[in-house]
Amino acid sequence: MSIFLDALRGITGQAAAVPAMRALILTFALVGCVAWIRRRPFLSVSCLWLGGLVGLGFRLLPIVSPLGLGTDPEVSRSWAQAGVNALAEPSGEGFVWGTMSAGSFLATLASAGIPLDLVHVAPQFFVLLGLTVLALLPFGHFQNRTTGAFAAALTLSGGGWPGALPYGAMLRWPFSIVIIIGLFGLGKIERIRPIFHRHRLHSASLAIGASSLAQAFSGDGESSFLAALFLGVAGLCLASPTRALLRRTLASAWAARRVEALTLLCVFAGGGVFWWDPARTIPGYDEATDANEALLRPMAWIRENVPRKSVIVASPEYSAAVAALGGRRVLLPPATTEPNPPLPEPFRRARLFDSARQGRPIARLAEAFSATHLFLGPGEQNPADGEEPAPTGELRLHLALVYQDAKDFRIFQFVKK
Amino acid sequence: MTSLLGLDLTTMNVTPFLAATRAAFVVLTFLAAAMLSRRQNDRRAGRVVLGIAIAGHLLAWFATMAPLPNVYGANGSQDRENHLGWANVVAEGFSPLYTFQVNHLHFEPLWPLLTAAASGFDVDRVPIVFQWAPLVVGILLALSIRFVWGHGVEDREGRDSEAAFASLGALLLMAAPGDFTGPFRNPWALTFLLKPNHALGLVLAPLAALALARARSWKSRLVAGFVLQLVGWAFVIHMALFVAGVVVFVGLSWVTKRTDRKKDLIDSSTAVGANLLLVSPYLFMLFTAYPFLQASQAIRISPLSERPFEAPLRMGALLLVSGLGAWRAYQNGGRLGRILASQWLGAQIAWQLFPLLGLIGQAREQDEFFYWCRFWMGLFAGAGVFTLVRDTLGRLRAGPSQPPSERAGAAAAISLVVLLPSLLPVWWDPLVMDQYFVAAQKPLPAWIEGPTRFIRIQTPREAVFAGDRSYARWIAAYGARRVLTASSLNSPNDNPRRAEVAAALLSNGPRARMLEGRDRYSIQYVLATSDSVDRAKDMALDELATRPYLDRVYDQEFERRRVVIFKIRYEAIP
């Protein structure tokens, strides 16, 4: 399986693969349109869904590292908490020693016992699941299956407005899948459906207004999740009137089907995954396509050799990575331009960090913080060797080098002489 | 630090400012839609929609320009800095027929003249004019389309609203949110903000269509030719594309066997012929000054390229409604409607021809074709959505409940709401979508700012600079002086001669060549930098200082490079 995925990644990494991928998506879309004209609405939606799967898969497959780790402070904290929830003890506490757990969907998944490697691919998986749910969701809203299929084709393509695609936002905010599934459930409630149908034009207007406001406030190169969601709702509201209108306006049902098919083609190719380029729109995407093997090696060592209750002293640059990939708590929060949550005992932490970097960690503080190891990355200076700090009467520990690799990652264990 | 619009940037937080302008447009549009839904007649609805179009353009323009301490495009766009240079030298009193490469004929002379005139021929005011020009040209475009539609399309229910929606579409629907990830980036920003001179061509194109639609006699045909040549002076590619649309117009008349097809042919060929005659001096300048028909590897594209999809399909469903709008205009819009719809079709055909042109290395100016295509798509998408909604309301509400005259208001309200998520001011985020905005937020690098300030203050107005060709565009853009050659501009036809003169001045070459620098090109200064690209590689800057005829008047070491300016003393040439 791994070899197969690597081979696919090799293909998607080639420049010529992008037009080939688009040609394939367009082929699916064209087949879907022909199926629609030939009164095969389910086949049509299936083709568009497959086209979407190809387009999304093409962009999601190259992601081999947690998306946003090290590039987005909020997401980094979420990944760090997930790593600690999955592998460290005691569970339920923050990834920085002594802090509260930062609640996030990914962290919750990790707490639920899902293996960390699977949690790392959860956003990609949820995006593909989201595509599937969006293709199914409208069928729950419409009694007429063909209208349901029409709405499904519109919804999975972004609702009919160019650029209103939810998948980028879903990749950055995996919890959105819960909202979509919730919407799917709402569609099943018999009491809601008549209200929805009776006021569909007002609902559509409100949804469009809400979407526009959501996009206005969020900005960004990707459509915000709420903006895309509201436009999807508007698309659901307008699907049935649009079909009814086409039936009344055009000379025959066959002509109406052709116009519907053309609409689906334009919507899918304009608002769908056809043009989606997360490398340009999602910060951290390029970084996530790098497996960063050099960093993974010391992290794997930490997972295997550092006790689960241990705290690792690492500089703020490596804190999130140690927690997210190594699965151990850290002493200091990640470096960020945004304010971190309040940190208890900041001065004692700073003293322990400084003393560890000087090669003589203060024993009392190391024990208080459960700190057992010092992690150093490339470019970070080795602790001073053998130099005695000014006598303070405090018991000091020593550092023993337990891991070092060619990339200059080093791990020291705190030991008594 | 203050922006060029006079706002204090030290207290401005750009992200919430941009969000506020976007939200303001959403609220404004919803208020307009609410107002229109109260049984407004066509004329009032048209005014309100036109107001929304202008307000949207204004807000998007303000969002982009307000946080900039520099001219939009500074620090990042070669084109923009070329334009600044052109306008500067005209503002300094030199002929608009020449670029800032001394004695080099211009291919877009109208815009530098207009901007220099708008600045009152004051170089210090040129950047301000450049910041305001996109707003003015955008408003002119909206008014131009409104005027043309109102005067050329027969008077019928909803005409004013339709015209206003065409204006709205041309301004705010020409770009899609994802465009910035594509090779041609955002058409609105690159047309209005970066190249308002090209947008001026868009302002004039509908007027040319109106003039052609009204051509009845020889006199009116010549008038049409005259208006069309104005498009050429503004931007010659738009003129060529407009003529292509006219060919489609005549072709469709013959294909559909219209009774007036001969008249269409005579009117069009007379107008185009007159245009070619009138614009022939310009075409002469173009052919003599620019070797622009040479094939190039850089403008070859694969016949299997996805480019043909790029312009139409990124617009999604708007492609379909723009097609519908063009179709309805062709059917019901009279002669003007047929001409405008033919422009839509002509633009699509021209765009689809690129893979063929790419085969022979002639797929040049793709971006301009792309924007032209999008302009017509946006225009007809706006008109098409309104037509669709109005017709739908007509079918659904046929009866006494609502008089037809008041149906336009309701249709306009619904159309505004339906179009809202696609309108540019709702999603325009220049921090992410516009590299020129990001670049212009930063101050000019010291190695550009310092020497060009010296040039502007310490050198005479008529000074011409030789030397570093890469640096030349900054000499013109920020120093407001002319140069011998600039790598940012097309090479003049006498480029080999210029190269010989420059080489002679730098390397103490033949006396006759050096004196030619004074007599033929009026060169007074040499600017050289430590970047060795434009100098002989073995020639050090300090070696230049040993030349007896070069006086060092400026020498500064910056972080990235050293910049030295020499004054040439021709009397000291041995």
Side-chain angles (χ1 to χ4, degrees):
Chain A
M1 185 66 180
S2 167
I3 294 170
F4 175 67
L5 286 178
D6 285 345
L8 278 180
R9 284 188 188 114
I11 294 170
T12 57
Q14 294 174 22
V18 175
M21 176 268 293
R22 287 185 176 150
L24 191 58
I25 295 178
L26 200 64
T27 307
F28 275 118
L30 287 170
V31 173
C33 291
V34 172
W36 188 271
I37 293 170
R38 300 200 167 188
R39 304 176 81 168
R40 301 276 188 276
F42 298 104
L43 178 63
S44 176
V45 173
S46 304
C47 286
L48 295 180
W49 174 78
L50 275 173
L53 211 60
V54 168
L56 290 178
F58 184 88
R59 302 298 187 180
L60 298 179
L61 203 61
I63 299 177
V64 287
S65 298
L67 180 75
L69 178 64
T71 54
D72 182 329
E74 188 64 33
V75 178
S76 292
R77 277 196 283 268
S78 174
W79 282 121
Q81 190 62 53
V84 166
N85 284 7
L87 300 174
E89 289 175 1
S91 59
E93 292 180 8
F95 73 93
V96 180
W97 188 93
T99 60
M100 299 284 285
S101 171
S104 77
F105 186 54
L106 294 170
T108 308
L109 291 178
S111 302
I114 296 173
L116 189 57
D117 288 341
L118 286 183
V119 175
H120 284 170
V121 295
Q124 295 94 296
F125 172 74
F126 288 139
V127 169
L128 296 178
L129 182 64
L131 174 83
T132 309
V133 175
L134 285 175
L136 294 173
L137 186 145
F139 288 101
H141 283 259
F142 296 99
Q143 286 176 338
N144 183 324
R145 294 286 163 186
T146 310
T147 302
F150 186 69
L154 287 180
T155 311
L156 67 87
S157 312
W161 285 266
L165 203 64
Y167 307 116
M170 290 173 72
L171 194 58
R172 291 159 82 178
W173 191 48
F175 182 71
S176 51
I177 188 67
V178 177
I179 296 176
I180 291 180
I181 291 173
L183 210 64
F184 184 76
L186 272 180
K188 290 285 179 192
I189 299 173
E190 288 297 326
R191 281 186 185 176
I192 289 180
R193 235 189 283 178
I195 302 169
F196 169 76
H197 285 296
R198 211 175 305 140
H199 302 289
R200 66 180 101 205
L201 287 180
H202 287 101
S203 308
S205 299
L206 276 176
I208 290 171
S211 162
S212 302
L213 268 182
Q215 189 58 40
F217 283 118
S218 75
D220 204 1
E222 279 281 347
S223 181
S224 81
F225 175 70
L226 281 179
L229 184 77
F230 281 124
L231 281 188
V233 170
L236 284 180
C237 297
L238 294 175
S240 179
T242 305
R243 289 201 72 226
L245 182 73
L246 287 174
R247 289 286 182 281
R248 280 181 69 169
T249 312
L250 296 169
S252 65
W254 191 72
R257 274 202 307 280
R258 279 196 301 176
V259 174
E260 285 169 358
L262 202 56
T263 306
L264 294 184
L265 179 67
C266 288
V267 168
F268 188 77
V273 295
F274 195 77
W275 300 107
W276 191 45
D277 187 2
R280 298 290 310 276
T281 56
I282 298 181
Y285 176 87
D286 281 335
E287 289 82 351
T289 58
D290 179 2
N292 207 348
E293 299 284 352
L295 184 62
L296 288 181
R297 274 191 290 272
M299 295 304 151
W301 189 92
I302 288 174
R303 284 197 210 189
E304 286 168 18
N305 298 289
V306 176
R308 287 171 176 256
K309 289 182 180 174
S310 285
V311 170
I312 292 182
V313 178
S315 61
E317 283 71 28
Y318 287 101
S319 282
V322 168
L325 305 173
R328 296 294 177 268
R329 285 201 167 74
V330 287
L331 183 72
L332 298 174
T336 168
T337 51
E338 295 170 16
N340 272 307
L343 193 66
E345 304 182 79
F347 301 111
R348 293 178 77 211
R349 279 174 210 264
R351 279 196 73 203
L352 175 58
F353 180 67
D354 289 342
S355 63
R357 291 294 296 268
Q358 286 164 6
R360 301 300 302 276
I362 299 168
R364 175 177 57 84
L365 295 179
E367 189 180 350
F369 288 114
S370 308
T372 58
H373 290 76
L374 170 69
F375 178 90
L376 293 177
E380 291 187 313
Q381 277 194 345
N382 261 339
D385 191 19
E387 210 172 290
E388 284 294 328
T392 57
E394 288 180 303
L395 182 63
R396 299 279 181 152
L397 300 173
H398 289 262
L399 297 181
L401 183 65
V402 289
Y403 175 89
Q404 184 168 26
D405 61 24
K407 296 289 180 186
D408 206 24
F409 284 104
R410 288 144 292 156
I411 300 168
F412 296 88
Q413 189 172 3
F414 297 175
V415 291
K416 289 178 184 167
K417 204 163 188 180
Chain B
M1 189 163 58
T2 56
S3 74
L4 272 181
L5 299 186
L7 299 171
D8 182 8
L9 295 181
T10 51
T11 54
M12 180 186 276
N13 191 340
V14 176
T15 304
F17 167 73
L18 294 175
T21 56
R22 289 190 294 261
F25 180 71
V26 174
V27 172
L28 201 66
T29 308
F30 254 82
L31 287 176
M35 197 166 87
L36 288 171
S37 62
R38 293 185 184 176
R39 299 185 171 231
Q40 298 286 336
N41 64 29
D42 179 40
R43 179 158 292 189
R44 277 191 208 149
R47 282 184 194 150
V48 171
V49 174
L50 188 66
I52 287 294
I54 291 173
H57 182 71
L58 185 146
L59 281 168
W61 166 83
F62 186 64
T64 318
M65 297 300 187
L68 298 186
N70 290 314
V71 172
Y72 176 85
N75 261 338
S77 167
Q78 182 176 289
D79 268 2
R80 189 65 161 172
E81 285 170 336
N82 283 342
H83 280 113
L84 260 179
W86 290 341
N88 279 342
V89 295
V90 179
E92 288 281 27
F94 296 101
S95 168
L97 294 177
Y98 296 97
T99 70
F100 58 77
Q101 290 184 131
V102 64
N103 300 344
H104 178 224
L105 281 170
H106 212 307
F107 63 94
E108 291 175 4
L110 183 64
W111 185 252
L113 179 62
L114 287 177
T115 44
S119 72
F121 293 94
D122 179 348
V123 172
D124 292 335
R125 284 200 216 121
V126 169
I128 307 286
V129 170
F130 267 59
Q131 294 300 75
W132 282 89
L135 175 66
V136 174
V137 177
I139 292 172
L140 284 177
L141 176 66
L143 296 177
S144 158
I145 294 169
R146 171 69 186 79
F147 173 82
V148 166
W149 208 284
H151 286 77
V153 174
E154 62 188 52
D155 198 4
R156 60 167 193 262
E157 183 211 332
R159 184 190 64 175
D160 287 357
S161 302
E162 202 176 286
F165 271 99
S167 296
L168 177 90
L171 265 181
L172 306 179
L173 285 175
M174 74 186 302
D179 277 336
F180 78 100
T181 63
F184 307 111
R185 290 167 283 173
N186 184 291
W188 178 83
L190 271 87
T191 302
F192 290 102
L193 303 185
L194 193 72
K195 300 174 184 173
N197 53 325
H198 296 183
L200 193 62
L202 300 181
V203 174
L204 294 169
L207 295 170
L210 179 64
L212 183 59
R214 288 184 164 186
R216 298 281 184 274
S217 60
W218 287 105
K219 188 181 165 190
S220 54
R221 287 169 194 147
L222 290 177
V223 168
F226 176 79
V227 181
L228 184 52
Q229 63 90 37
L230 285 179
V231 180
W233 283 99
F235 188 40
V236 74
I237 291 175
H238 285 169
M239 184 201 78
L241 286 165
F242 189 88
V243 170
V246 171
V247 171
V248 171
F249 163 67
V250 175
L252 284 175
S253 284
W254 284 80
V255 168
T256 54
K257 295 182 179 169
R258 292 183 62 90
T259 52
D260 53 355
R261 58 184 184 273
K262 278 187 185 167
K263 184 179 177 315
D264 287 345
L265 177 64
I266 293 168
D267 292 347
S268 301
S269 49
T270 310
V272 170
N275 156 63
L276 288 176
L277 272 180
L278 286 166
V279 87
S280 57
Y282 178 19
L283 296 179
F284 172 78
M285 285 161 64
L286 201 63
F287 277 95
T288 54
Y290 297 93
F292 70 93
L293 284 178
Q294 286 174 1
S296 156
Q297 194 60 35
I299 43 180
R300 273 185 204 282
I301 53 172
S302 159
L304 298 175
S305 161
E306 56 201 344
R307 291 280 160 86
F309 301 135
E310 191 86 31
L313 278 189
R314 268 190 193 269
M315 298 290 279
L318 290 178
L319 165 66
L320 215 55
V321 283
S322 78
L324 173 80
W327 173 250
R328 295 298 299 270
Y330 194 86
Q331 279 192 317
N332 306 326
R335 199 174 194 211
L336 175 72
R338 286 196 293 124
I339 293 171
L340 294 178
S342 301
Q343 291 299 331
W344 181 90
L345 186 59
Q348 301 292 341
I349 292 171
W351 180 251
Q352 297 304 324
L353 283 176
F354 264 108
L356 292 179
L357 292 172
L359 281 176
I360 53 169
Q362 288 291 354
R364 60 184 69 241
E365 305 290 352
Q366 291 174 53
D367 52 346
E368 302 304 342
F369 280 61
F370 180 84
Y371 306 145
W372 177 259
C373 197
R374 282 297 189 79
F375 165 69
W376 291 106
M377 282 178 70
L379 186 150
F380 280 111
V385 166
F386 175 75
T387 309
L388 190 68
V389 173
R390 185 193 59 197
D391 292 356
T392 306
L393 285 184
R395 284 171 190 275
L396 294 177
R397 295 184 179 179
S401 64
Q402 190 176 30
S405 60
E406 290 179 359
R407 206 175 290 152
I414 295 172
S415 303
L416 269 185
V417 172
V418 168
L419 285 174
L420 182 60
S422 302
L423 296 178
L424 178 128
V426 174
W427 49 260
W428 175 236
D429 188 353
L431 270 176
V432 179
M433 298 176 171
D434 190 351
Q435 66 191 62
Y436 299 131
F437 173 83
V438 176
Q441 280 188 301
K442 299 170 190 156
L444 284 178
W447 54 272
I448 295 177
E449 198 274 333
T452 53
R453 184 153 37 86
F454 171 85
I455 290 168
R456 197 148 162 166
I457 295 169
Q458 302 287 339
T459 65
R461 183 185 71 89
E462 62 280 1
V464 175
F465 282 73
D468 193 323
R469 292 183 299 123
S470 309
Y471 203 95
R473 79 169 191 266
W474 297 308
I475 294 174
Y478 306 115
R481 298 292 179 266
R482 293 170 301 159
V483 298
L484 179 68
T485 46
S487 56
S488 63
L489 289 182
N490 297 63
S491 297
N493 276 349
D494 63 345
N495 200 41
R497 192 75 166 191
R498 289 174 190 245
E500 284 175 23
V501 169
L505 285 169
L506 288 172
S507 59
N508 201 1
R511 177 182 160 80
R513 281 282 175 275
M514 286 201 265
L515 293 182
E516 197 177 338
R518 178 190 62 190
D519 301 335
R520 186 170 175 179
Y521 298 113
S522 311
I523 300 167
Q524 294 181 26
Y525 289 88
V526 167
L527 183 147
T529 68
S530 52
D531 187 349
S532 66
V533 174
D534 290 324
R535 286 182 290 111
K537 280 183 182 168
D538 54 349
M539 190 188 297
L541 283 178
D542 290 326
E543 194 187 334
L544 278 178
T546 63
R547 308 271 185 258
Y549 54 89
L550 292 180
D551 268 357
R552 186 160 35 187
V553 292
Y554 180 93
D555 188 349
Q556 189 81 42
E557 182 80 45
F558 296 98
E559 195 180 335
R560 281 187 58 180
R561 64 179 80 176
R562 181 178 164 198
V563 181
V564 188
I565 300 172
F566 301 97
K567 183 164 178 26
I568 306 170
R569 289 190 302 119
Y570 284 99
E571 66 278 10
I573 291 175

